[in-house]
Amino acid sequence: MGEGLRLLKITVVRGKTLVIRDFKSSDPYVVVKLGNQTAKTRVINSCLNPVWNEELNFTLTEPLGLLNLEVFDKDVWKADDKMGKSYLNLQPLVSAARLRDILGSSCGETALRKVMPERDNCLVRESIINNNVNGEVVQNVWLRLDGVESGELELTIKLITRVAS
């Protein structure tokens, strides 16, 4: 996978049981960072269980870093409030893609790897990395938000390799 362009498509699907930062609710949005690349979702007003379904694109470069996420409450009159942060190690996804390339598995839905929740990750439940029918390596994850009383984020991550021409 050293050749070609590697594109990481992050779909921020939804948040669950986010913390209240305004009087009765919050106006959450998510900031996603990979290395020096940053993208953010739109603000969902007055919602603790927001559905974004927004795709954010990043170019994957070496050395491989962590995908960092931070949720904020949008405020008009003061600085935005922090609603938690999380991260995802992308190494299992990239390793699964390399395995797929080595095995030549390119057609049909194939499970490549299972990642379990551990102390050193933010996974809420196990996550399966699949090769889908389009030849993309896909991981669906639920991440726990740290530094707050509650909150989870659901993401779908697709690793797409384009051969250099």
Side-chain angles (χ1 to χ4, degrees):
M1 287 192 58
E3 299 168 15
L5 174 67
R6 294 187 295 176
L7 182 65
L8 199 63
K9 291 187 173 199
I10 310 293
T11 301
V12 180
V13 179
R14 62 185 166 145
K16 183 173 143 187
T17 61
L18 300 181
V19 294
I20 296 172
R21 288 295 183 248
D22 291 335
F23 181 63
K24 291 182 179 178
S25 190
S26 293
D27 306 313
Y29 66 93
V30 181
V31 175
V32 183
K33 294 181 183 178
L34 179 63
N36 61 358
Q37 303 169 79
T38 303
K40 71 178 185 175
T41 66
R42 71 187 185 285
V43 174
I44 305 285
N45 292 318
S46 301
C47 189
L48 300 177
N49 296 293
V51 176
W52 287 283
N53 277 326
E54 284 190 45
E55 187 176 275
L56 309 173
N57 296 317
F58 296 89
T59 302
L60 200 56
T61 58
E62 300 287 341
L64 204 57
L66 295 174
L67 183 69
N68 291 291
L69 302 105
E70 197 160 7
V71 183
F72 292 94
D73 169 46
K74 182 70 176 168
D75 285 322
V76 176
W77 307 112
K78 57 183 179 121
D80 293 351
D81 298 312
K82 293 182 180 185
M83 295 178 67
K85 59 185 177 179
S86 192
Y87 65 90
L88 180 66
N89 183 352
L90 296 173
Q91 190 60 52
L93 182 74
V94 172
S95 295
R98 286 186 179 129
L99 175 66
R100 184 220 35 204
D101 292 347
I102 290 168
L103 296 175
S105 171
S106 61
C107 60
E109 181 97 13
T110 307
L112 298 170
R113 184 170 181 179
K114 183 189 301 188
V115 184
M116 301 301 292
E118 296 176 2
R119 285 192 170 156
D120 64 345
N121 67 35
C122 294
L123 292 176
V124 173
R125 56 185 70 109
E126 73 179 32
S127 174
I128 306 293
I129 301 172
N130 292 303
N131 181 53
N132 71 13
V133 293
N134 298 324
E136 302 162 328
V137 178
V138 180
Q139 182 177 14
N140 294 307
V141 296
W142 275 97
L143 299 175
R144 176 186 65 255
L145 294 176
D146 288 336
V148 289
E149 311 83 69
S150 67
E152 298 175 2
L153 287 178
E154 181 184 7
L155 307 175
T156 299
I157 299 113
K158 292 181 184 177
L159 179 59
I160 300 166
T161 304
R162 296 201 178 119
V163 179
S165 38

